[in-house]
Amino acid sequence: MGDLVERLAQGLPEGAVVVDPDVVASYARDMAGFCAAGVPAVLVLPRTVEQVQHVLRTATDLRVPVVPQGARTGLSGGANAVDGCIVLSLVAMDRILEIDPVNRLAVVEPGVVNAVLSRAVAEHGLAYPPDPSSWESCTIGGNIGTGAGGLCCVKYGVTAEYVLGLDVVLADGRLLRTGRRTAKGVAGYDLTRLLVGSEGTLGVVVQAVLALRPEPAPPLVLAAEFAATEAACAAVCEVMAGGFAPSLMELMDATTVRAVNEMAAMGLPESTRALLLVAFDGPDQAAEVAAVAELCRAAGATEVVPAEDRAESELLLQARRLALPALDRMGTTMIDDVAVPRSRLADMLAGVARIAERGRLTIGVVSHAGDGNTHPVVVFDASDPEETARAEHSFEEIMALGLELGGTVTGEHGIGLLKRDWLARELGPVGLELQRQIKSVFDPLGILNPGKTL
């Protein structure tokens, strides 16, 4: 321990090496429940690429594991410490290095907060579309590590679509530069895509070149209430089959609607079994909202409320923003992240309802319905061991259901510790073997975020 701290301090400024046990312990885990966290040996807070290289060279020399971290808003345990590790927090590397309106790109350090970048590029009439729910606190480096998504993925895609290039410090301290700054480029293997979503197991991102888009118009939203979840899911399919390109399409099941009603007195009728929110930000948004309103009515919506302006749109979206806080009020929550084909969304929600009934639990589902990414939220009493066990079993059943329906065990939260066993089931033995071989090329000693994903 003493040798490690001394070696780290030789290449880091005063205050960048932290050994206070209470401070170090506060960095031991992310926001995932039911994931073990070890006791770190030390916390480091570098500010430059060279300092990160020094940390990795030291870790390699001393064979000490390194756990890279962003803002620790993750929900899979991917940032959790292991015993005796160096916790490498990148939050102090928070500079926006460049915004280029001509080439529509930004160059940023990993600690830049998503919302800070979004506001900075908006001053140039541009947008960085990925918008995780934690965008006011999550960092770009963390978003890259987990392959984060957000509410606008149905139209704009996830983080991977916007990462043009990366500077990455490898386990031995070498600096790898991947990707490009050009609009097109296909030279060599796509190492950039490989690194996005790798959760710090292949290298430490120290700089990113990100693609930007023209800033869209403020969205116009409609809310549709349904007396049956199946009807709401049918409306989702009709919208997508009809060639529409909504910027947002979110679905809340009856449990979530009830929780939001109880928290905020939204005034939704008790008969509402599903609430569908659809937004458009294109030039014909009013016409598109009107057309989708008719599709929802034809699919069986009991009430359709199209917003007339931005203020009404914001009011309608408030219900979606309150979904997770409202479910949190009901007890301890375990948030799943299963994505299925849009055509199987109704089967997924019906299956979750059956799992809730079997487990005698409350499970609310909020879904990025436009891309089939569901977030079943298991609510339980953590002080009750028997109910906790049922909650964990139900969580596992939900992931099994997702795979059975042709889906994936994570659409945007990552694998981390929470879903390691399920990754093996999804990839199969050949896929798992190849991924482990790739890991060994980048990190032959296995010191980068050990025990995560694979």
Side-chain angles (χ1 to χ4, degrees), residues 11-30:
L12 291 167
E14 186 177 353
V17 180
V18 181
V19 295
D20 182 293
D22 292 333
V23 176
V24 173
S26 71
Y27 282 76
R29 63 188 318 125
D30 63 19

Side-chain angles (χ1 to χ4, degrees), residues 334 336-341 344 347-352 354-355 358 363 374 376 378 391-410 415 418-419 421-426:
M334 188 186 298
D336 213 325
D337 171 39
V338 174
V340 297
R344 304 306 301 272
D347 297 323
M348 182 68 192
L349 268 65
V352 171
R354 290 193 295 271
I355 290 168
R358 282 199 303 272
I363 305 179
T374 66
V378 183
E392 291 176 335
H393 181 68
S394 296
F395 187 88
E396 301 281 316
E397 285 190 294
I398 290 167
M399 285 189 282
L401 173 65
L403 292 181
E404 180 186 326
L405 295 175
T408 176
V409 296
T410 177
I415 295 296
L418 191 62
K419 299 183 178 183
D421 294 341
W422 287 95
L423 179 66
R425 301 188 204 189
E426 181 170 330

Side-chain angles (χ1 to χ4, degrees), residues 170-172 174 194 201-203 432-448 453-454:
L170 300 177
D172 59 7
R174 288 179 296 162
L194 178 62
T201 62
L202 302 181
L432 189 63
E433 179 187 358
L434 286 173
Q435 295 218 8
R436 285 176 171 161
Q437 289 174 358
I438 291 168
K439 162 75 169 170
S440 69
V441 169
F442 279 81
D443 180 23
L445 297 177
I447 65 170
L448 287 178
T453 70
L454 299 175

Side-chain angles (χ1 to χ4, degrees), residues 11-52:
L12 291 167
E14 186 177 353
V17 180
V18 181
V19 295
D20 182 293
D22 292 333
V23 176
V24 173
S26 71
Y27 282 76
R29 63 188 318 125
D30 63 19
M31 295 180 69
F34 302 97
C35 291
V39 179
V42 61
L43 163 69
V44 294
L45 296 151
R47 290 186 174 275
T48 69
V49 174
E50 293 75 19
Q51 290 170 14
V52 175

Side-chain angles (χ1 to χ4, degrees), residues 26 32 50 65 80 84 87 109 111 136 149 170 189 218 258 297 309 312 321 332 352 358 367 379 386 390 403 407 425:
S26 71
E50 293 75 19
N80 282 16
V87 168
E109 291 184 328
E136 290 282 5
L170 300 177
Y189 296 127
R258 185 171 62 251
R297 291 187 183 99
D309 54 30
E312 285 191 7
R321 294 193 181 102
T332 302
V352 171
R358 282 199 303 272
S367 172
V379 182
E386 192 272 335
R390 282 188 278 121
L403 292 181
R425 301 188 204 189

Side-chain angles (χ1 to χ4, degrees), residues 22 62 161 177 223 318 343:
D22 292 333
L62 299 179
E161 274 73 63
R177 179 162 289 168
Q318 184 66 7
S343 56

Side-chain angles (χ1 to χ4, degrees), residues 139-148 159 195-201 205 413-414 453:
T139 61
I140 296 297
N143 293 171
I144 291 170
T146 59
T159 297
L195 287 158
V196 175
S198 63
E199 302 188 42
T201 62
V205 173
H413 290 174
T453 70

